[in-house]
């Protein structure tokens, strides 16, 4: 095989096509998002379960569900059917520990941890480049940890080293005894080279990012897409969803940031949005009942957004389990009717066009995103 | 300076250190990289004077460090404020009103962070500083949440620092009652289900947040085998542990037990039976039980071994530490004595096996080559940029102790750039006097610097790379940003 076919990977070899520009972006909303507040079902039971959290004037999403009032920035994308919602989604082996539930989700092996994360195990099937897999955050999240090269940085504009000593540093890290430092060093220096100039790209199509971390980080993802640096997998995160107390205020601000960041991201991408599929995930949902302090405690199923690519949006997918006492999981949480891993598997097979078997072993891809 | 000399108490005899064939310089390098924030010239000399075992004994029974404490009191006046004083003297800014930065509530966290860095660099009680950092992180609270900003400085001073060389039960009790923890994990509002609260004109109830993290993170550990029912029962045992909310009260913001809010029905938490009719003592008995539970012993000792020995510590070491913990009723000093005298701590596999956290990297850099004259915001920002916003870790798990969390391409770039800046003397508040660098032929300078910074010679490949640079300041920067200096 010559260098070109190597770079293009198996699919392109068969069809002789140009390399795919498809990319998958996973936004981890950490802390456990209250899906019942983000996308409330129009069900009388909800007001009885959470009298003080109940919102009388939500935004209408479809016949059966509403959207949190602070997420109005998403309405145009819903109308254009570029954005969809999946509900009652969660883990088949759930945990109410943040720590365990996040690890289980990121390992991709239901209820188990391991040496690497699900997204790293996708990488052998993808073309290799400095920016194939990127985490726009501090450190490599568990989902992307593993044998394959990934780059992580909190901001593109700080991802550079003064030219003079850079070559010396590159050599020092190339001969590092510590294997992890050697690998991360190589990733850093090839990334710095590939990223040159990208940090200065201005938003396109009049996109206006909100203040805050998520918008800044998604904007860097867009820069990598517009820069055509071979991005296939990007991950970023936002915390602050662990709303045990006074949920209304805290959650509203966070959801507004999510909505406005995603909307600006879509605008900035313009036509390239059909190449990029964004999924939001979270470790668990929250109790169906409000707790004693106008908040909610750790629960089970939540809701997620899917944006871009060939997502058939404008609707709430999944199977609604209901909120009556007998329908709740262990009498307290929204029940999981859709395995989050099957949704991730669908994104891998249908959007990135790679097998999901090594990333998510034994999981049958769902048909809820694009079907 | 006489005033700065530590009074040595003779309570702990010099620790016995197993022979491992290392020379004294390597032993000192290892010890000061783990039980201190990296080697400094002063601490190297102290280890030389007292021997490794003697230095450890002194650190386990540290006397006062009056000069440093006087400086901290003068430079950071908010550090002495009580919870009530902090709330009264630093009111929330009113929108539209001008306010100087030093009057804003965030000043409380700014001063705490600056004092932390000053102590980490300068304190003679190095082990205590390392332990304060470790136990604060174990019982993490974030200044970003709710009113914790006003409470975090008293929290470290009153609930963490006094107990890090003492009994775990005291740490646990002090954190459980402290307003910072009560606010951060919401227990201040958790009341028995159905309690009618007149001021709110509604019924209130249980909040599981603190109880869950108490079992999972502070004591038993996530795999201990407790259930959702145990979490609820623990939360019920702690109902009524709350705060004084009356603003005019002298004790505004302090701990207050509210008998009416307490759930007095009987409870069973993971094998502990609490009979009906209990009050505040329900919570105290729960903490007694958890503090001495064998699962807690293992969980804490695993974390200590991971912190001080390696990311995957030997099981025999954890077993031995846990046994000592239980034998002594949770005496942390006894556990440290065993840990620092263990073969596992002094094993070849342990040398330079840990990756420095951003805090450790920055502080060890300054201790190695410079002098900290003042703590400027740029130093705090450098640690931020490497991914460790001090006192602002938002999840209750705190910051990770493991290498993968800290080693990424972007973080390395930040570390490299910090090294370069430091070498060029461009980090405000830190002096790296060129005069303090070794003199002579470039080869000699590099070799001497490598020994001082890394405690071991460079590999020949690295040595040649460093020698390709002629500017001594760039050489310092290269060494500080080198892969070797990221390890401890």
């Amino acid at each position: 095989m010559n260098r070109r076919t190597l770079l293009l990977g198996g699919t392109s070899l068969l069809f002789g096509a140009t390399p795919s520009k498809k990319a998958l972006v996973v936004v981890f909303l950490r802390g456990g998002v209250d899906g019942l507040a983000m996308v409330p079902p129009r069900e009388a039971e909800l007001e009885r379960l959470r009298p003080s959290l109940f919102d009388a004037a939500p935004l209408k999403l479809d016949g059966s569900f509403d959207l949190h009032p602070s997420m109005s920035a998403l309405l145009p994308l819903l109308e254009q059917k570029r954005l969809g919602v999946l509900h009652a989604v969660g883990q088949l082996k759930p945990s109410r520990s943040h720590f365990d539930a996040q690890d289980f989700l990121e390992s991709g092996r239901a209820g188990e941890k391991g040496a690497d994360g699900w997204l790293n195990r996708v990488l052998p099937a993808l073309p290799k480049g400095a920016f194939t897999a990127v985490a726009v955050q501090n450190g490599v999240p568990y989902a992307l940890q593993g044998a394959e090269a990934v780059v992580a940085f909190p901001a593109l504009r700080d991802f550079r080293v003064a030219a003079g000593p850079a070559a010396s540093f590159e050599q020092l890290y190339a001969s590092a005894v510590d294997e992890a430092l050697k690998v991360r060093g190589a990733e850093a220096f090839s990334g710095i080279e590939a990223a040159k100039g990208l940090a200065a790209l201005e938003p396109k199509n009049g996109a206006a990012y909100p203040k805050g971390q998520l918008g800044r980080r998604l904007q860097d993802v867009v820069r990598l897409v517009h820069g055509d640096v071979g991005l296939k997998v990007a991950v970023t995160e936002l915390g602050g969803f662990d709303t045990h107390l006074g949920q209304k205020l805290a959650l509203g601000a966070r959801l507004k940031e999510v909505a406005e960041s995603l909307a600006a991201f879509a605008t900035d991408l313009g036509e390239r949005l059909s190449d990029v599929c964004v999924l939001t995930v979270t470790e668990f949902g929250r109790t169906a009942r409000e707790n004693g302090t106008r908040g909610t405690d750790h629960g089970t199923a939540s809701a997620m957004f899917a944006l871009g690519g060939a997502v058939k949006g404008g609707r709430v997918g999944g199977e609604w389990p209901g909120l009556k006492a007998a329908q709740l999981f262990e009498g307290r949480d929204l029940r999981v009717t859709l395995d989050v891993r099957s949704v991730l598997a669908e994104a891998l097979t249908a959007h990135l066009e790679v097998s999901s078997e090594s990333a998510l072993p034994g999981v049958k891809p769902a048909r809820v995103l694009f079907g | 300076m006489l005033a700065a000399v530590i009074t040595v108490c003779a309570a702990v005899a010099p620790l016995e250190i197993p022979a491992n064939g290392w020379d004294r310089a390597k032993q000192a390098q290892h010890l000061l990289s783990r039980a201190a924030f990296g080697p400094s010239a002063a601490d190297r000399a102290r280890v030389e004077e007292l021997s490794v075992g003697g230095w450890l004994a002194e650190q386990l029974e540290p006397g006062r460090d009056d000069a440093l404490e006087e400086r901290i009191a003068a430079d950071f006046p908010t550090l002495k404020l009580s919870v009530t004083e902090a709330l009264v003297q630093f009111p929330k800014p009113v929108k539209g009103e001008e306010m100087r930065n030093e009057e804003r509530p965030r000043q409380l966290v700014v001063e705490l962070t600056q004092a932390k860095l000053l102590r980490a660099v300068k304190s003679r009680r190095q082990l205590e500083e390392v332990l304060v950092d470790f136990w604060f992180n174990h019982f993490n609270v974030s200044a970003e949440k709710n009113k914790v900003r006003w409470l975090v400085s008293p929290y470290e001073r009153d609930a963490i620092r006094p107990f890090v060389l003492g009994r775990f039960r005291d740490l646990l009790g002090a954190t459980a009652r402290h307003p910072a923890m009560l606010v951060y994990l919401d227990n201040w509002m958790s009341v028995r289900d159905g309690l009618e609260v007149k001021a709110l004109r509604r019924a209130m109830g249980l909040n599981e947040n603190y109880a869950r993290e108490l079992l999972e993170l502070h004591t038993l550990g996530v795999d201990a085998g407790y259930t959702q029912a145990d979490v609820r029962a623990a939360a019920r045992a702690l109902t009524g542990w709350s705060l004084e909310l009356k603003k005019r009260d002298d004790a505004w913001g302090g701990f207050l037990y509210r008998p009416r809010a307490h759930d007095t029905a009987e409870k069973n938490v993971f094998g502990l039976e609490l009979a009906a009719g209990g009050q505040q003592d329900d919570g105290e008995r729960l903490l007694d039980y958890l503090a001495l539970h064998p699962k807690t012993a293992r969980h804490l000792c695993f974390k200590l071994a991971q912190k001080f020995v390696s990311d995957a510590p030997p099981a025999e070491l954890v077993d031995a530490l846990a046994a000592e913990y239980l034998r002594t009723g949770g005496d942390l000093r006894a556990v440290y004595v065993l840990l620092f005298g263990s073969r596992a701590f002094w094993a070849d596999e342990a040398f330079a096996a840990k990756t420095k956290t951003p805090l450790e990297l920055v502080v060890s850099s300054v201790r190695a080559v410079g002098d900290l004259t003042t703590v400027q915001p740029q130093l705090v920002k450098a640690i931020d940029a490497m991914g460790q916003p001090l006192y602002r870790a938002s999840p209750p798990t705190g910051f990770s102790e493991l290498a993968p969390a800290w080693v990424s391409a972007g973080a390395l770039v930040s570390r490299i750039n910090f090294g370069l800046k430091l070498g060029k003397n461009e980090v405000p508040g830190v002096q790296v006097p060129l005069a303090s660098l070794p003199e002579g032929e470039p080869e000699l300078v590099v070799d001497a610097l490598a020994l001082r910074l890394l405690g071991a010679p460079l590999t020949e490949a690295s040595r040649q790379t460093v020698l390709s640079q002629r500017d001594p300041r760039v050489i310092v920067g290269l060494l500080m940003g080198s892969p070797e200096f990221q390890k401890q």
Side-chain angles (χ1 to χ4, degrees):
Chain A
M1 262 202 286
N2 63 31
R3 187 167 178 277
R4 184 175 154 78
T5 50
L6 259 178
L7 282 173
L8 296 187
T11 321
S12 311
L13 198 69
L14 281 176
F15 299 105
T18 51
S20 161
K21 291 187 170 180
K22 295 272 171 71
L24 175 65
V25 180
V26 179
V27 179
F28 202 140
L29 305 177
R30 293 188 193 265
V33 174
D34 186 6
L36 292 173
M38 186 165 79
V39 181
R42 213 166 294 142
E43 201 173 317
E45 204 62 29
L46 189 64
E47 189 173 358
R48 275 199 289 279
L49 286 166
R50 25 175 80 190
S52 81
L53 299 184
F54 183 76
D55 206 308
L59 306 164
K60 188 174 181 321
L61 202 158
D62 68 5
S64 314
F65 292 90
D66 294 315
L67 186 66
H68 192 282
S70 68
M71 301 194 95
S72 58
L74 294 178
L75 288 176
L77 289 166
L78 281 163
E79 269 162 39
Q80 297 155 22
K81 304 197 187 312
R82 306 302 307 265
L83 176 78
V85 179
L86 297 172
H87 221 319
V89 59
Q91 306 194 55
L92 294 187
K93 292 189 179 167
S95 163
R96 292 193 188 97
S97 148
H98 291 295
F99 167 76
D100 265 356
Q102 292 187 13
D103 281 359
F104 294 158
L105 179 56
E106 295 189 72
S107 85
R109 308 171 183 92
E112 283 174 43
K113 305 178 188 184
D116 49 16
W118 72 280
L119 275 169
N120 196 281
R121 295 195 298 274
V122 178
L123 301 180
L126 294 168
K128 296 200 184 347
F131 282 122
T132 303
V134 176
V136 190
Q137 61 189 71
N138 281 316
V140 182
Y142 181 27
L144 263 178
Q145 286 173 18
E148 298 292 319
V150 297
V151 164
F153 51 78
L156 256 180
R157 64 158 197 269
D158 299 325
F159 194 51
R160 57 195 161 85
V161 174
S168 299
F169 274 118
E170 194 168 353
Q171 286 174 28
L172 281 179
Y173 277 86
S175 58
V177 179
D178 184 289
E179 191 57 27
L181 287 169
K182 185 175 180 170
V183 171
R184 298 279 103 89
E187 291 164 4
F189 290 104
S190 63
I192 288 169
E193 193 53 37
K196 271 185 184 155
L198 289 184
L201 285 184
E202 295 289 331
K204 295 184 196 296
N205 313 314
Y209 288 90
K211 276 188 185 162
Q213 173 186 297
L214 184 63
R216 282 199 304 275
R217 291 176 173 185
L218 283 175
Q219 188 179 4
D220 275 346
V221 175
V222 173
R223 288 174 170 138
L224 296 174
V225 173
H226 283 316
D228 279 322
V229 290
L231 181 74
K232 302 300 292 177
V233 172
V235 177
T236 191
E237 64 182 13
L238 183 68
F241 291 92
D242 194 17
T243 47
H244 287 275
L245 188 148
Q247 167 167 314
K248 243 183 176 173
L249 216 61
L251 186 63
R254 275 303 200 243
L255 291 180
K256 189 169 162 47
E257 182 174 355
V258 171
E260 292 179 356
S261 301
L262 287 177
F265 176 86
T267 306
D268 196 355
L269 275 177
E271 288 181 1
R272 294 296 302 273
L273 185 58
S274 51
D275 291 329
V276 181
C277 176
V278 185
L279 299 176
T280 67
V281 297
T282 189
E283 68 260 40
F284 46 58
R286 310 192 68 83
T287 47
R289 254 172 233 101
E290 66 177 87
N291 66 11
T293 58
R294 299 196 179 196
T296 47
D297 291 325
H298 302 180
T300 308
S302 187
M304 66 189 286
F305 289 111
L307 167 69
V311 164
K312 293 271 190 291
R315 57 180 186 171
V316 179
E319 187 193 326
W320 184 244
L323 291 177
K324 297 209 169 64
Q327 295 167 325
L328 294 176
F329 176 64
E330 295 181 353
R332 61 178 254 156
D333 306 337
L334 183 65
R335 183 177 296 278
V336 174
T337 55
L338 179 59
D339 178 6
V340 62
R341 297 196 309 153
S342 72
V343 181
L344 304 177
E346 182 183 8
L348 293 181
T349 52
H351 181 71
L352 285 185
E353 297 176 305
V354 294
S355 162
S356 62
E357 186 51 34
S358 56
L360 303 158
V363 177
K364 187 168 172 245
R367 295 179 67 177
V368 290
L369 289 172
F370 312 110
Chain B
M1 225 165 42
L2 205 65
V5 173
I6 301 183
T7 335
V8 184
C9 309
V12 179
L15 264 65
E16 279 194 38
I17 307 302
N20 61 358
W22 298 357
D23 63 25
R24 277 153 66 165
K26 186 172 175 178
Q27 282 191 335
Q29 173 77 21
H30 183 61
L31 178 66
L32 294 173
S33 298
R34 302 288 175 88
F37 276 104
S40 68
D43 273 305
R44 274 193 202 281
R46 191 79 179 149
V47 173
E48 187 67 22
E49 182 189 331
L50 298 177
S51 83
V52 164
W55 185 87
L56 274 168
E58 180 178 88
Q59 292 292 315
L60 288 165
E61 287 277 1
R64 301 165 55 85
D65 191 348
D66 290 334
L68 183 64
E69 287 312 314
E70 279 164 24
R71 173 168 176 193
I72 282 172
D75 288 2
F76 310 113
T78 66
L79 256 67
K80 64 175 190 303
L81 298 182
S82 70
V83 163
T84 311
E85 288 166 340
L87 288 164
V88 170
Q89 294 177 26
F90 286 84
K92 230 178 181 171
V94 181
K95 262 191 187 157
E97 269 182 36
E98 288 283 312
M99 200 176 219
R100 290 185 307 130
N101 274 343
E102 307 81 78
E103 295 171 346
R104 291 175 184 275
R106 67 180 290 275
Q107 180 67 12
L108 298 163
V109 187
V110 168
E111 289 190 14
L112 176 64
T113 309
Q114 293 180 333
K116 179 186 179 75
L117 292 178
L118 191 68
R119 284 183 166 130
V121 172
K122 295 216 173 237
S123 177
R124 288 153 182 267
R125 299 184 297 194
Q126 280 286 302
L127 179 59
E128 181 183 283
E129 290 312 312
V130 171
L131 290 171
V132 167
D133 184 60
F134 173 83
W135 287 112
F136 184 99
N137 200 54
H138 181 80
F139 291 106
N140 184 52
V141 303
S142 166
E144 304 271 277
K145 175 158 172 177
N146 210 324
K147 292 253 187 212
V148 176
R149 178 169 297 182
W150 284 266
L151 312 171
V152 62
S153 185
Y155 176 69
E156 182 175 286
R157 181 193 62 211
D158 300 335
I160 304 286
R161 186 175 289 281
F163 308 112
V164 298
L165 288 162
R167 292 193 172 270
F168 180 72
R169 175 63 179 86
D170 294 334
L171 255 179
L172 185 65
T175 55
R177 293 167 62 101
H178 199 278
M181 184 61 80
L182 289 164
V183 170
Y184 176 63
L185 290 179
D186 303 325
N187 201 73
W188 71 281
M189 269 190 91
S190 181
V191 301
R192 69 183 155 86
D193 268 328
L195 177 75
E196 292 287 338
V197 179
K198 267 192 216 142
L200 300 173
R201 284 193 224 117
R202 64 185 284 265
M204 302 282 295
L206 218 52
N207 181 311
E208 294 173 8
N209 202 10
Y210 174 66
R212 180 182 300 281
E213 307 306 2
L214 172 67
L215 303 188
E216 175 179 336
L217 301 175
H218 300 172
T219 61
L220 300 172
V222 71
D223 296 321
Y226 57 84
T227 64
Q228 175 61 36
D230 291 319
V231 172
R232 300 281 297 178
R236 288 169 51 222
L238 290 157
T239 43
W241 287 44
S242 187
L243 298 172
E244 176 56 75
L245 300 175
K246 288 192 206 98
K247 291 199 180 179
R248 275 164 303 180
D249 197 298
D250 288 348
W252 178 30
F255 176 81
L256 178 73
Y257 176 70
R258 298 177 186 280
R260 218 169 70 80
H262 188 69
D263 181 334
T264 55
E266 68 172 327
K267 310 158 193 87
N268 183 324
V269 190
F270 201 48
L272 171 71
E273 302 277 355
L274 294 168
Q279 283 289 336
Q280 187 179 346
D281 56 314
D282 277 352
E284 296 292 349
R285 287 191 53 205
L286 174 63
L287 298 183
D288 289 343
Y289 176 75
L290 293 173
L292 291 182
H293 198 285
K295 296 280 187 189
T296 300
R298 286 204 64 82
H299 178 220
L300 300 178
C301 291
F302 179 82
K303 280 189 78 175
L304 282 167
Q306 198 169 48
K307 163 80 188 169
F308 287 105
V309 176
S310 71
D311 284 5
E316 313 83 75
L317 173 67
V318 178
D319 289 345
L321 297 177
E324 180 70 354
Y325 177 95
L326 291 173
R327 187 186 72 76
T328 59
D331 180 354
L332 296 174
R333 189 186 272 116
V335 175
Y336 308 145
V337 166
L338 199 63
L339 175 64
F340 292 120
S342 70
R343 290 199 174 279
F345 180 82
W346 293 102
D348 287 335
E349 304 87 82
F351 185 79
K354 293 283 297 181
T355 299
K356 292 176 183 176
T357 64
L359 172 70
E360 288 162 349
L361 187 261
V362 165
V363 174
S364 66
S365 304
V366 176
R367 280 171 59 83
V369 295
D371 183 29
L372 188 61
T373 50
T374 56
V375 187
Q376 298 289 332
Q378 289 88 342
L379 198 64
V380 180
K381 278 191 187 141
I383 301 173
D384 270 12
M386 296 172 201
Q388 194 177 16
L390 298 172
Y391 299 111
R392 289 183 284 123
S394 101
T397 34
F399 295 116
S400 175
E401 186 46 47
L402 302 179
W406 302 117
V407 179
S408 69
L412 281 187
V413 169
S414 299
R415 287 170 180 234
I416 285 169
N417 287 326
F418 178 75
L420 282 176
K421 269 193 158 174
L422 194 66
K424 288 193 207 149
N425 220 354
E426 287 174 1
V427 179
V430 184
Q431 289 294 320
V432 181
L434 259 186
S436 75
L437 303 180
E439 286 180 38
E441 294 297 307
E443 285 81 1
L444 295 176
V445 174
V446 167
D447 290 347
L449 266 176
L451 269 182
R452 194 205 287 183
L453 297 182
L454 310 171
L458 285 169
T459 62
E460 191 49 34
S462 296
R463 187 166 178 269
Q464 289 308 321
T465 305
V466 175
L467 278 168
S468 70
Q469 297 282 342
R470 280 340 220 189
D471 181 345
R473 291 205 173 276
V474 175
I475 288 176
V476 172
L478 277 179
L479 288 171
M480 313 246 75
S482 71
E484 288 85 349
F485 197 71
Q486 309 312 309
K487 307 296 286 188
Q488 67 180 30

